[in-house]
Amino acid sequence: MRALKHGTMRAHVALALAALVLAGDALQPALAGGFNYKDALTKTIIFLEAQRSGKLPPNNRVKWRGDSGLEDGKLANVDLTGGYYDAGDNVKYGLPLAFTVTTLAWTALAFKPELQSAKELDHVYEAIRWGTDYLLKCAARKKKLWVQVGDPNLDHQCWVRPENMKAPRTLYEIDEKTPGTEIAAETAAAFAASSMVFRHDKAYSRALLNKAKLLFLFAKSHQGSYDGECPFYCSYSGFNDELLWAATWLYLATKRQVYADFITHEAISSSVAEFSWDLKFPGAQVLLAEFNMTSGGGAQNFKTQADNFVCAVLPDTAFHQVYITPGGVIHLRDGANTQYVTSTAFLFVVYSDLLLRTGQDVMCGNQPIRPERLREFARQQMDYLLGANPRSSSYVVGFGANSPTQPHHRGASTPVLPPGYDVNCGLSFGEWFAPDRPNPNELTGAIMGGPDKDDKFVDKRANSSYTEPCTYINSLAIGPLAALAERGPKLVATH
């Protein structure tokens, strides 16, 4: 886990943008269309199974993983087993976990035909439900939400796989006296989005939606940032984006006027150049772009703001803000930077589908940008991760050429030990963290956090800013990979 993760880019994109020259991107990947996207898709989903906590099912595909965290919640006489470890450590953080679930649910909704064709839809459903089953336990009590399991400071004192961890499973919660609007609203979004995915299971879908409504009301009524996950997950952007995000998903799930009213009259929205676990504005704006809604008393048009996100990212616009490395990939900041690569690719493909469906373009000032340009850029970003980069190396473990062998990950870098094995924490770093050798267990499908702004990457587990994977990097990669696998390199829509 990285301290002070991924601070938020706060700069707004100007609403009035000048014209741009639609030159083709000079950084065309050398191997465009030459990857086995289906294989990459499958492996990207398998990584999420390696992150599971709790009692693993018989069909678990990561054979070196075992049951873990089976007494989570016991300190408070509640059952908090299950869920996901967010990255390479053994803590379950509520904010990124819920965001992983929300984005997985969006993926299942937006790319259902592609996932069905690739025979991966059921695996995505399983990944979502592994998260929602856990989050339902966290939200079992009214006006209370368990938001974290495990003390990160103690956890970081021992390099041990989750099956043999020794640190106490300290519990953290939010309630009326200790609010946490970001986490409550993000969990509401996860429930609302997932309720749409599981409509074929009416009882389960209803349970998710009811929890979403209650948590949104709680988030709105007891406003305040929760800093208990800091310095590991500090919400630099505040909670207005999560409130808009949750209200958007609740509106989509219910079509109730109360959520439309919140979006149009109460919600705060802003043009930004980043979509991440911390900053959800562009995601909500893309979802709302086709509805005739505004916020801020009519001053903020969601289609315009979604366009502003695109114009801020594309390197061939007059007002681009996002740095692109010499090799052609987005770089916002060190530390799981590839989350911005996959999140942008995801939004670009989803938004291009919407634009084609509604016969619209992105408008950067007076210059239209065709949806095809968004798709080409999304493909370029994903191809870079798969190997079309200056290193000619994959950033996905177990996929392609020269894939990483030393992910910063306790379970993958530690040999399988007998249950109950007493790990010497003082010696654990010297035994399993420090040695310069490949991990004994392949963390199949994990997308590394690197490279740096100069396309440089060192495959060493100690280089955590570049070698630590995260669930939300992968959750946002699944959709673009499914589209590439089933539509082909040009991402031509089939539905």
Side-chain angles (χ1 to χ4, degrees), residues 118-151:
K119 296 181 171 54
E120 293 292 353
L121 184 62
D122 287 343
H123 286 132
V124 173
Y125 282 174
E126 290 169 7
I128 298 166
R129 186 143 187 169
W130 195 267
T132 51
D133 282 352
Y134 167 74
L135 291 173
L136 284 171
K137 297 175 183 179
C138 293
R141 298 182 184 177
K142 193 175 182 180
K143 295 184 179 180
K144 178 194 291 282
L145 181 68
W146 298 104
V147 297
Q148 184 174 319
V149 180
D151 182 329

Side-chain angles (χ1 to χ4, degrees), residues 469-493:
C470 302
T471 56
Y472 42 87
I473 300 176
N474 279 55
S475 67
L476 286 158
I478 293 169
L481 288 173
L484 284 163
E486 299 308 312
R487 304 182 196 175
K490 292 186 178 180
L491 297 176
V492 177

Side-chain angles (χ1 to χ4, degrees), residues 289-291 301 303-304 307 351-363 368-372:
E290 65 181 308
F291 300 99
N301 179 277
K303 167 65 166 63
T304 299
D307 287 358
Y351 197 31
S352 68
D353 284 354
L354 183 156
L355 294 168
L356 282 171
R357 189 173 70 247
T358 56
Q360 300 181 82
D361 294 332
V362 169
M363 295 303 299
I369 304 246
R370 296 289 297 151
E372 290 82 2

